[in-house]
Amino acid sequence: MSVRQRHVLWTFFCCGLGVAMVSLDNLVVITALPSIREDLGGSIQQLEWTVNAYTLTYSVLMLTGAALGDRFGRRRMFGIGLGVFVVASAGAALAPGIGALIAARAVQGLGAALLMPLNLTILTEAAPERRRGVLLGAMSAVEGVAIAMGPLLGGAVVEHLSWQWIFWINVPIGALVLPVARWKLTESHGPSPRLDLVGTVLASAGLFGIVFGIINGHADHWSSARVLLSLAGGAAVLIAFVRWELRAEHPMFPMKLFRHRTFSAMNAAGLLMFAGMFGSVFLLTQFLQGPRGYTPLEAGLRILPWTAVPIFVAPLVGLVSDRVGGRTIVALGLALQALGLGWIAARVSPEVPYPSLVPALVLCGLGMTCYFTPTANMVMSTVGTGERGMASGAISALRELGGVLGIAVLASVFSANGDLTTADRFTDGMVPAVWTGVALIACGALAVLLVPWRPRAGRPADPEPAVPGCVGDLV
């Protein structure tokens, strides 16, 4: 194996473990909320903020993390973000009360925001041109599997160890990756020698207003003054951000990226996919543990037909992608995801036999695999070398925003039609909520199909998104 091949494998190792840690934390904590409440106490609102505090800082500071990486070094900021995430994970595990846990989760989100948008950029810089699609497809598959495995891992840890271990598990992983990243990753920077401080502040403030309003929309009602002011204020600041970036000599985020139709369509599809998927998975895990009465581990095992599919079919999806093109596979994935969730919405009831849901879960797993495998390379193939950091930050931020929006919107639909009092009332709310998730994902599929993929000059006509059967095939 050549020096270049070893370098690519080490880079994939570091970035893959980093993205797996952060992606797991999106859903793994939800499974542990009943145990956290029993141990630390706290109101329902405080428990919600153990999730929301992480989501808020993570989604709001994603573009800032990408900008800091471009300015001060991507390897450096990757290491700092990973260190912050690991230390905050230990703080969450040691939290003596619910307030300390919320604070630690907010710091975790900060570390994730510094770490996550730099994964794709670092890997793209390290990968040889002819294998870039393979590596980015594999990284996307790692992210998808980690997200989907959250409920299973969370259930197993809570049931057999304690809720603190969902945070402790990050510490040895981080301790392993940090020195390897320092030793093996190559430093790189963005094209601008200066940090666009005004743009950074405006982007963070605008996203804060939007995300804060979405998070509180369900609890405070969407028509409340606080929610409306937060959403309107965030939107106004983001408009100011766009206007500033269009005039800035060294913009934090080059707005010209959105002139490329594929970049815009894939980001829109990512937002809608994450909105429909996250909101539906949230309700499905609650349904299995509530009306069906399964333990957290039993609920996680019953989602396994969804989560295990990518492990077996990702190589096949990669081979098919080479022949028919990434855009077709992504659209097919979104369609399969919508079909699987639609099956669940049509069949779910307090007495529904679990085997009748298995085909739907398999369809969701197939859809997730088809979506994640080519997406990263399709986006990265539309931008220049110096723009990759912000392109990665944009797609990560919009996906996270989609997850926040999906949970908030689907929870609102659930509350408008049902409640937690009985199994019948739960499914009364769950059915229209999941159908809402289906509609969101279907809109994402249309966004991909209606916008033709157009590569940058000098790039291949279609990305190479295959996910090989073993890591050695990546290079």
Side-chain angles (χ1 to χ4, degrees):
M1 184 180 292
S2 68
V3 174
R4 177 66 181 274
Q5 289 175 321
R6 287 197 296 270
H7 172 65
V8 172
L9 288 176
W10 279 116
T11 303
F12 187 86
F13 170 81
C14 294
C15 294
L17 284 179
V19 76
M21 276 200 311
V22 173
S23 299
L24 276 171
D25 263 54
N26 272 312
L27 285 175
V28 71
V29 176
I30 293 174
T31 312
L33 288 180
S35 298
I36 292 173
R37 185 181 186 186
E38 182 179 343
D39 192 15
L40 299 183
S43 65
I44 294 296
Q45 290 74 24
Q46 287 175 313
L47 285 174
E48 289 178 351
W49 273 101
T50 62
V51 177
N52 293 341
Y54 175 84
T55 302
L56 187 63
T57 53
Y58 179 27
S59 55
V60 164
L61 297 175
M62 197 90 69
L63 287 178
T64 301
L68 292 174
D70 283 354
R71 172 61 182 87
F72 297 108
R74 291 159 182 159
R75 183 188 67 180
R76 177 183 298 173
M77 296 311 300
F78 177 93
I80 291 173
L82 183 61
V84 170
F85 188 86
V86 169
V87 170
S89 296
L94 295 170
I98 195 70
L101 178 59
I102 292 171
R105 289 285 287 161
V107 179
Q108 254 194 317
L110 168 62
L114 295 175
L115 163 68
M116 193 64 171
L118 302 176
N119 278 287
L120 288 180
T121 314
I122 292 172
L123 187 59
T124 302
E125 294 292 327
E129 184 78 28
R130 64 187 182 87
R131 290 296 186 186
R132 187 168 295 153
V134 178
L135 285 158
L136 293 178
M139 182 62 68
S140 295
V142 168
E143 181 182 3
V145 171
I147 290 171
M149 290 293 287
L152 174 60
L153 181 62
V157 169
V158 169
E159 191 163 331
H160 293 291
L161 296 171
S162 67
W163 66 263
Q164 285 90 347
W165 278 98
I166 64 177
F167 301 113
W168 280 126
I169 197 172
N170 294 327
V171 176
I173 297 174
L176 172 65
V177 175
L178 271 171
V180 176
R182 177 68 180 172
W183 180 33
K184 293 295 185 180
L185 296 185
T186 301
E187 187 62 280
S188 64
H189 295 77
S192 177
R194 293 198 301 245
L195 178 66
D196 177 12
L197 186 58
V198 174
T200 301
V201 172
L202 287 174
S204 300
L207 287 172
F208 180 87
I210 296 292
V211 176
F212 187 83
I214 292 173
I215 286 175
N216 288 283
H218 171 59
D220 292 355
H221 303 295
W222 293 97
S223 58
S224 70
R226 183 167 76 154
V227 171
L228 292 176
L229 285 173
S230 179
L231 292 173
V237 175
L238 285 181
I239 291 171
F241 165 71
V242 171
R243 296 185 64 180
W244 171 266
E245 294 299 283
L246 290 172
R247 300 195 312 267
E249 183 179 357
H250 299 287
M252 169 197 177
F253 187 91
M255 290 296 154
K256 64 181 180 180
L257 293 181
F258 286 105
R259 296 175 187 167
H260 198 293
R261 291 175 294 177
T262 299
F263 181 84
S264 298
M266 292 302 296
N267 276 284
L271 186 147
L272 292 167
M273 167 68 172
F274 271 60
M277 183 178 71
F278 266 67
S280 299
V281 169
F282 174 78
L283 291 173
L284 181 60
T285 56
Q286 303 307 308
F287 169 74
L288 292 173
Q289 293 184 57
R292 297 313 305 268
Y294 296 122
T295 66
L297 177 58
E298 290 171 339
L301 287 172
R302 279 161 177 80
I303 301 178
L304 200 58
W306 183 341
T307 59
V309 165
I311 299 172
F312 300 102
V313 303
L316 178 61
V317 170
L319 291 174
V320 174
S321 299
D322 285 342
R323 289 172 169 78
V324 304
R327 182 171 69 98
T328 303
I329 295 299
V330 169
L332 176 63
L334 291 166
L336 290 172
Q337 186 78 54
L339 182 61
L341 291 177
W343 186 320
I344 292 172
R347 291 285 301 162
V348 72
S349 70
E351 300 83 21
V352 61
Y354 169 73
S356 69
L357 298 179
V358 171
L361 297 173
V362 171
L363 283 174
C364 288
L366 287 171
M368 186 177 68
T369 308
C370 292
Y371 167 78
F372 274 105
T373 302
T375 296
N377 196 43
M378 285 185 70
V379 173
M380 288 300 189
S381 295
T382 66
V383 302
T385 302
E387 299 163 340
R388 287 171 181 159
M390 293 314 303
S392 174
I395 193 170
S396 298
L398 287 171
R399 283 178 176 181
E400 188 63 22
L401 183 60
V404 174
L405 181 64
I407 291 176
V409 171
L410 268 63
S412 295
V413 175
F414 173 88
S415 298
N417 295 276
D419 53 51
L420 302 174
T421 55
T422 66
D424 286 325
R425 289 294 294 159
F426 188 97
T427 54
D428 286 344
M430 179 177 175
V431 169
V434 175
W435 278 120
T436 302
V438 171
L440 292 172
I441 295 172
C443 289
L446 288 175
V448 174
L449 284 174
L450 295 177
V451 179
W453 190 72
R454 178 171 55 86
R456 288 174 58 89
R459 292 183 181 271
D462 205 10
E464 179 191 10
V467 181
C470 64
V471 176
D473 294 337
L474 290 169
V475 293

